[in-house]
């Protein structure tokens, strides 16, 4: 008995020792293409019926996310520890829709009242009149599963005693496809004060390669990183240089850069076109992670077998490393003094 106690004490010390030595790289490596693929093959399957806000497909999606976070040990981030933020929103045709954002939350240690919000949209555009399902594997299944893996990496770190200093909110917004309604609802009705929200990392389509990068597919577009905060841009650049090494394409940082979409050339305006917009509007610095559009954009052909999972893994790790630095650095990200809140008028 005595020997056994001795051995278990030794084992305990040993296990503490190995855990203390784990680094951010170890946690990043828990984000794997295999797991991303497994999640996505469920999330973007026909069963979820295109995940349109206000439909049964959305109900399946939000319950899938809730069950995942419960199983993974990540708490609910809405009121009273719930995973859901219920909302009634109005679509472009004036219809009222009952919809839900999903929130998971990892509380920080010594700077817990400061919050990093990571977003992706859980909804997509549903089923076509002829019955074809829009699975939205890239849009935005890719961002959704990236967030699931980032949350898992953070909770593993926390369980080892290496939890984040600031808190992280994993905010899966709905009704994005109906006009960024879930992110607008959250920023109009924030669960955590916007004044304490240090940044937003928004992930919307990161699993594909666009026609401009077929020869060199190890890229990602970053939009907005230096617009409100130089700190944010530097953190992001360093995370990429030190750990990931993707080619970062900043061409769409200029909203007037032309893009060929819907059969014609037009200004990209991506800075205003996904959920980060509602954070930027509230003077919260944000980065939009994006692979560009492709011919399957908003079509029933945006399917799981077309995703580049090795690349999705790399891009997800970049976002994780950036998030890790934002929540663990000593100083809160500072805003530019002359930063102007953008207007989409
Ligand atoms: Zn999208």
């Amino acid at each position: 008995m005595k020997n056994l106690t001795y051995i278990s004490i030794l084992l305990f010390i040993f296990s503490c020792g190995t855990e203390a030595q784990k680094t951010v790289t170890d946690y990043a490596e828990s984000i794997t293409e295999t797991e991303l693929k497994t999640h996505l093959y469920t999330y973007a399957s026909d069963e979820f019926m295109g995940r349109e806000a206000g439909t049964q497909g959305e109900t399946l999606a939000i319950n899938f996310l809730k069950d995942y976070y419960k199983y993974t040990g990540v708490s609910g981030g809405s009121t009273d520890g719930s995973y859901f933020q219920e909302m009634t929103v109005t679509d472009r045709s004036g219809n009222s829709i009952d919809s839900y954002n999903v929130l998971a939350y990892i509380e920080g240690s010594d700077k817990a009242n400061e919050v990093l919000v990571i977003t992706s949209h859980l909804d997509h555009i549903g089923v076509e009149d002829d019955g074809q399902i829009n699975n939205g594997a890239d849009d935005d299944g890719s961002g959704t599963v990236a967030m699931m893996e980032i949350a898992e990496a953070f909770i593993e770190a926390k369980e080892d005693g290496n939890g984040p200093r600031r808190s992280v909110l994993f905010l899966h917004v709905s009704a994005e496809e109906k006009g960024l309604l879930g992110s607008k609802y959250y920023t109009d009705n924030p669960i955590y004060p916007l004044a304490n929200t240090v940044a937003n990392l928004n992930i919307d389509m990161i699993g594909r390669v666009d026609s401009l990068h077929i020869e060199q597919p190890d890229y990602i577009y970053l939009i907005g990183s230096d617009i409100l905060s130089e700190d944010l841009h530097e953190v992001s650049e360093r995370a990429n240089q030190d750990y990931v090494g993707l080619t970062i394409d900043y061409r769409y940082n200029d909203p007037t850069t032309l893009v060929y979409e819907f059969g014609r050339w037009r200004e990209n305006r991506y800075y205003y076109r996904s959920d980060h917009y509602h954070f930027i509007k509230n003077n919260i610095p944000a980065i939009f992670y994006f692979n560009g559009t492709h011919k399957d954009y908003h079509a029933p052909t945006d399917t799981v077998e077309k995703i580049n999972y090795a690349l999705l893994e790399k891009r997800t790790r970049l976002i994780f490393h950036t998030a890790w630095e934002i929540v663990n650095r000593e100083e809160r990200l500072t805003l530019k003094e002359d930063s102007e809140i953008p207007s989409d008028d």
Side-chain angles (χ1 to χ4, degrees):
M1 196 61 195
K2 217 177 185 180
N3 276 346
L4 265 182
T5 312
Y6 181 67
I7 287 165
S8 42
I9 288 170
L10 268 183
L11 275 174
F12 179 73
I13 292 168
F14 181 71
S15 67
C16 290
T18 49
E19 277 167 8
Q21 285 161 15
K22 273 199 185 176
T23 65
V24 60
T25 309
D26 297 308
Y27 300 116
E29 282 171 2
S30 77
I31 297 165
T32 64
E33 59 175 296
T34 315
E35 288 180 19
L36 290 161
K37 189 174 182 175
T38 304
H39 299 321
L40 195 61
Y41 265 73
T42 304
Y43 195 71
S45 67
D46 284 352
E47 188 195 339
F48 285 69
M49 295 177 288
R51 308 184 299 274
E52 184 176 2
T55 70
Q56 204 189 333
E58 182 197 49
T59 307
L60 289 166
I62 65 171
N63 281 306
F64 172 82
L65 292 169
K66 180 199 72 180
D67 290 347
Y68 172 80
Y69 285 114
K70 258 192 168 167
Y71 175 79
T72 314
V74 183
S75 313
S78 192
T79 321
D80 302 325
S82 155
Y83 291 89
F84 298 147
Q85 183 180 37
E86 190 177 356
M87 55 191 172
T88 302
V89 291
T90 308
D91 72 9
R92 294 182 187 98
S93 323
N95 302 314
S96 204
I97 301 166
D98 291 325
S99 178
Y100 297 86
N101 292 329
V102 175
L103 291 78
Y105 181 71
I106 298 179
E107 184 158 56
S109 53
D110 61 316
K111 294 176 185 290
N113 70 332
E114 295 182 10
V115 184
L116 167 68
V117 180
I118 306 181
T119 47
S120 63
H121 65 91
L122 69 89
D123 67 307
H124 192 45
I125 55 173
V127 183
E128 299 290 305
D129 291 342
D130 64 4
Q132 289 190 83
I133 298 169
N134 292 290
N135 293 128
D138 195 28
D139 189 8
D140 188 16
S142 61
T144 304
V145 299
M147 263 170 66
M148 291 164 65
E149 284 289 288
I150 292 169
E152 189 188 30
F154 270 114
I155 201 74
E156 272 186 40
K158 185 165 181 169
E159 282 160 5
D160 292 345
N162 296 322
R165 299 180 66 189
R166 295 182 177 80
S167 302
V168 190
L169 175 66
F170 299 89
L171 172 61
H172 296 264
V173 291
S174 194
E176 189 268 0
E177 303 285 13
K178 297 192 184 290
L180 314 184
L181 302 181
S183 51
K184 179 170 196 316
Y185 188 87
Y186 178 83
T187 52
D188 287 347
N189 303 276
I191 307 287
Y192 306 89
L194 296 183
N196 298 346
T197 301
V198 300
N200 167 232
L201 303 180
N202 180 43
I203 318 169
D204 192 356
M205 296 169 58
I206 60 163
R208 294 281 296 265
V209 174
D210 72 358
S211 59
L212 299 169
H213 296 85
I214 291 166
E215 301 298 324
Q216 282 166 317
D218 268 12
Y219 77 102
I220 186 162
Y221 295 109
L222 261 60
I223 300 166
S225 60
D226 65 345
I227 294 178
L228 293 186
S229 164
E230 266 152 26
D231 272 0
L232 177 60
H233 182 71
E234 279 164 28
V235 164
S236 159
E237 275 285 300
R238 217 177 313 124
N240 186 52
Q241 283 160 21
D242 292 352
Y243 300 104
V244 187
L246 287 166
T247 299
I248 299 193
D249 192 325
Y250 290 108
R251 78 182 71 193
Y252 296 132
N253 230 7
D254 176 355
T256 66
T257 302
L258 295 179
V259 62
Y260 193 77
E261 267 186 345
F262 307 113
R264 65 190 171 97
W265 288 96
R266 58 182 207 168
E267 291 185 356
N268 75 82
R269 303 187 66 74
Y270 290 134
Y271 192 55
Y272 309 103
R273 285 174 55 188
S274 186
D275 296 298
H276 56 280
Y277 175 64
H278 288 296
F279 290 89
I280 293 163
K281 238 178 45 186
N282 284 287
N283 219 19
I284 295 163
I287 303 178
F288 173 23
Y289 296 88
F290 180 50
N291 54 217
T293 56
H294 42 73
K295 66 175 173 40
D296 302 311
Y297 176 65
H298 281 203
T301 47
D302 178 5
T303 45
V304 286
E305 77 284 357
K306 291 180 184 155
I307 299 292
N308 181 332
Y309 290 94
L311 189 53
L312 177 57
E313 177 192 281
K314 267 192 199 172
R315 289 164 170 171
T316 306
R317 287 181 182 182
L318 169 64
I319 301 160
F320 171 69
H321 278 291
T322 306
W324 181 278
E325 177 62 20
I326 293 169
V327 294
N328 285 311
R329 76 206 297 265
E330 180 57 32
E331 300 295 332
R332 176 175 171 164
L333 296 174
T334 51
L335 287 164
K336 285 184 188 173
E337 270 174 27
D338 60 348
S339 69
E340 263 180 47
I341 301 171
S343 144
D344 193 24
D345 299 333

